[in-house]
Amino acid sequence: MRMSKAVIKRIELTVAGRKYPIKVTDEEEQRVKDIENHLNKQIHQFQLQYKDKDKLDSVIMTLLTVAFENTKVRSDLSTTDDIIEKLDQLEGILDSALT
């Protein structure tokens, strides 16, 4: 059985008023558009909150916010993996004790 090849298409994203071409699969397109929307909303919030700063400052503050969120999610996943490993060990101990 042959695996079908993902169709790559080119779309254009607009972030902070600038356009960027990007290649995506159909499966990725909505996710990329959601990211575009999230970034633009966050940039806009920083522009409203810090009116004395220029757009680049808002973009950088958004970048830092997203990077921090990403780091937190990765840390949470690592913690979850540790918990699962400990539960697996506990399950093994209980299995041994019951047999």
Side-chain angles (χ1 to χ4, degrees):
M1 182 196 276
R2 297 175 88 183
M3 292 181 58
S4 63
K5 198 172 187 182
V7 176
I8 306 278
K9 64 182 176 181
R10 183 181 164 125
I11 63 172
E12 195 169 81
L13 297 182
T14 303
V15 177
R18 296 184 70 173
K19 296 186 182 298
Y20 300 92
I22 186 168
K23 293 179 182 177
V24 296
T25 64
D26 285 335
E27 295 80 29
E28 296 169 328
E29 185 173 6
Q30 187 57 51
R31 184 178 207 172
V32 169
K33 289 185 181 283
D34 290 344
I35 291 168
E36 172 189 34
N37 187 37
H38 175 74
L39 291 173
N40 284 316
K41 281 183 180 178
Q42 188 69 53
I43 291 166
H44 181 70
Q45 286 299 318
F46 279 124
Q47 286 179 309
L48 292 175
Q49 191 173 356
Y50 301 101
K51 294 181 193 286
D52 59 326
K53 302 290 184 185
D54 66 10
K55 189 179 278 190
L56 180 59
D57 289 325
S58 296
V59 170
I60 291 171
M61 287 188 289
T62 298
L63 169 71
L64 292 170
T65 300
V66 169
F68 176 77
E69 290 169 352
N70 186 328
T71 302
K72 179 156 178 18
V73 167
R74 285 176 184 241
S75 175
D76 290 349
L77 286 174
S78 177
T79 301
T80 301
D81 288 344
D82 291 344
I83 291 170
I84 290 171
E85 184 179 331
K86 288 184 188 328
L87 287 172
D88 287 343
Q89 290 172 355
L90 181 58
E91 182 181 30
I93 292 169
L94 289 173
D95 284 344
S96 295
L98 294 174
T99 56

